[in-house]
Structure formats: C-alpha cells, structure tokens
C-alpha cells in the first residue's frame, strides 16, 4: 500500500510564477513550439518541480511542514505560487 | 572606518570590494565569512556580488539563511548601513530586508555591460556625494535583475523616495529603451523605508578608480564614508 497510514510521506511540489507575472522562459518556449509548428500552444508557463520524502507518518503534520517549507524557502510568494500533493 | 564584506560560498566580487575599500579608499575592509554570527566592530557592511550557493532554487534564496544574515538583520534594525550589490541585492530581497523580488531578465540573457542610471534620491547615506538626477555610468552583470514588486508597494516606495537608481539614457532620460532587463519602472536600486539599507544591481566596485577609465562607482563608497563619519560625530540617540 502506497501513501497509507504508517508509510513515509512523499511530497510532490510544483512552484510556478503567479498569473500575470511575466515568464520570459515560458515565452521563449512558446515561440520555439510555434517554430516547430505547434501554433495551437499558448500561455506556456515554466515552473519548478520538487520531490521530497518526509520522515513523518502523520499526513496532517506532514502537510503543515510542507506548507511551511514552501512559504519559507521553496517558493518566493511575492512572485510565485505553489501547490503540492502528498502521496 | 571598518567595513565588513560578507563572503558567501560563491561570492565573486568580494575581493573587488575589499580592494576598493582598502587599497583605493584607505579604509579597513574586513572579510566576514557567512558562518559568522556577529558583526561586532564593523561600521557598515557590504553584501557583494557573485553566485552565492550557485543561484540554486532562486538567486539569494539559500544565502539568506546563512548564519551571518541574522547578524545583518540585527545590524540593520539598529540602523547600521547595509549595501547589497547585485547578488547582494538579491539576497537582501530574499531576506525581506528590502521589498520586492527579482525575475529573470526579459531577454533571458546574462547581461554584462555598462549602463546608465539616474540618481533619483541624492539624500541617502549611499548617494550623498551625487547631485540630484546625476547620471552615473556603471556596469551590470546579471541574469536576474528584472525587479518586481506589487503596485501598492511600488507606490509606497515612490512616496518614501525609496527608488534610488533608475536605468536611463546617457542623457538621463528614463525610457523603455534604456531598461536592460525589463525591471519594473526602470528600477536599478532601492533603499528600505528607514534608509539604511540599499540594494543595487550595478557594480560600483568595478568602476571606482581612475585606472579603469571610470570612477563613477567611487561616489557610492565616498557617500557611505561621509555618512559614517557624520554618524560618529553625532551622539547616539538616547534609548537606541
């Protein structure tokens, strides 16, 4: 059984620029896609994906910890937003 | 004066700062390793440029948790002068000692060239030697210098004269063409509300002596020394 009570918790975290914040990398990728003929692709946004194991069996506690990690270090909430899942 | 120059793993402009302070300006420059927890004996502190912690995660994001940063927060809270240059500016933003954040340059390029900035506030401890609206030629060298903050913060900063340098044409005109990195409102340098912390993307330490053909950067260091001398002459406020 994966992710159940009593297992280690794995956090999968996505950090992306907030909507409305210019994403020069996303724009460059979008242009490259258009060059390749994928002109239907738009609003490309590039972000970061982080994965980490938590030595914490309680998912509620794990969530509190992951949220604090995102707020303090993993994301800069002035320009970025984050979402995570615990499995 | 004793000026601390913080050395993070990956700092690479620390020696330039030490050279200007000691060899050119005759001050005592003290290298402060990032593991230090005290800034005692230092009159002002400089966070130099470089690539602290390899710019991993975000520029300055990991350096801000170095032990020395707690001492720098304390030092600035007590009114100590803190200058952050380039990566030093990025660290001050991440540490919350200055408002806003840095985004990737809109061109996605690492830009290394001379630019012109206009002194928007010549009444700071870092710009006292400059004339109001004076145009300085200073080099930049960064990939993440695209300053961003929200509208409310920007208007507060403007109201407090916290925008100290803006990218301009050689004639001092502020226009999009003079903006090298997409920075909001052409912002190249800001100070905190209290006025004792300044962050700037251009490198004054790279142009502070005649032999280099440009010594505009010297004005920043001379201004700091003026302010420090003045502070020594004035008795400290009771209760501070």
């Amino acid at each position: 059984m994966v992710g159940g009570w009593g297992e280690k918790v794995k956090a999968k975290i996505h950090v992306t620029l907030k909507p409305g914040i210019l994403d020069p990398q996303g724009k460059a990728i979008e242009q490259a896609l258009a060059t390749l003929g994928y002109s239907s692709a738009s609003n490309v946004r590039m972000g970061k994906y982080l994965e980490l194991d938590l030595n914490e069996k309680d998912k509620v506690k794990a969530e509190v910890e992951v949220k604090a990690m995102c707020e303090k270090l993993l994301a800069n909430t002035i320009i970025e937003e984050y979402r995570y899942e615990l499995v | 004066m004793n000026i601390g120059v913080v050395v993070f793993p990956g700092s690479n402009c620390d020696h330039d700062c030490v050279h200007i302070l000691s060899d050119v300006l005759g001050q005592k420059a003290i290298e402060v390793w990032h593991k230090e927890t005290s800034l005692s004996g230092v009159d002002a502190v400089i966070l130099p440029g470089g690539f602290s912690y390899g710019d991993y995660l975000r520029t300055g994001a990991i350096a801000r948790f170095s032990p020395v940063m707690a001492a720098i927060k304390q030092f600035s809270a007590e009114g100590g002068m803190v200058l952050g240059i380039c990566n030093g500016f990025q660290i001050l933003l991440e540490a919350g000692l200055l408002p806003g954040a840095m985004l990737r340059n809109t061109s996605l390029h690492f830009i290394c060239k001379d630019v012109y900035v206009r002194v928007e506030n010549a009444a700071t401890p870092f710009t006292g030697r400059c004339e109001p609206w004076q145009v300085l030629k200073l080099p930049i060298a960064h990939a993440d210098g695209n300053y961003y903050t929200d509208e409310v913060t920007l208007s507060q900063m403007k109201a407090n004269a916290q925008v100290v340098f803006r990218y301009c044409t050689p004639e001092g005109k502020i226009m999009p063409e003079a903006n090298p990195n997409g920075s909001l409102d052409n912002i190249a340098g800001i100070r905190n509300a209290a006025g004792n912390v300044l962050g700037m993307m251009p490198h004054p330490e790279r142009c502070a002596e005649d032999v280099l053909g440009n010594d505009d950067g010297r004005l920043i260091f001379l201004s700091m020394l003026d302010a420090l001398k003045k502070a020594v002459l004035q008795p400290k406020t009771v209760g501070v």
Side-chain angles (χ1 to χ4, degrees), chain A residues 20-78:
Chain A
I21 303 261
L22 180 72
D23 180 358
Q25 293 181 95
K27 278 206 156 185
I29 294 163
E30 191 172 316
Q31 282 164 13
L33 286 172
T35 308
L36 286 173
Y38 297 108
S39 52
S40 62
S42 63
N43 294 322
V44 177
R45 308 287 286 173
M46 208 189 101
K48 295 172 189 135
Y49 173 69
L50 301 105
E51 218 178 66
L52 57 94
D53 290 336
L54 278 173
N55 199 9
E56 174 61 72
K57 289 172 183 172
D58 185 336
K59 272 203 174 178
V60 178
K61 283 186 188 165
E63 180 164 359
V64 171
E65 216 164 318
V66 168
K67 202 164 189 301
M69 289 177 190
C70 289
E71 291 284 335
K72 282 185 194 164
L73 175 66
L74 304 181
N76 180 336
T77 54
I78 297 172

Side-chain angles (χ1 to χ4, degrees), chain B residues 131-193:
Chain B
E131 298 294 326
W133 315 118
Q134 185 173 347
V135 175
L136 305 176
K137 185 167 98 170
L138 303 170
I140 55 168
H142 60 249
D144 299 76
N146 181 353
Y147 180 79
Y148 172 83
T149 192
D150 61 82
E151 275 180 39
V152 176
T153 309
L154 179 64
S155 62
Q156 284 169 349
M157 283 167 55
K158 281 183 176 172
N160 293 332
Q162 283 177 249
V163 177
V164 179
F165 301 113
R166 292 169 80 199
Y167 299 110
C168 66
T169 64
E171 297 77 32
K173 283 198 178 129
I174 308 288
M175 51 206 299
E177 291 77 9
N179 187 339
N181 52 27
S183 193
L184 179 72
D185 221 31
N186 282 41
I187 287 174
I190 57 170
R191 65 178 177 90
N192 64 345

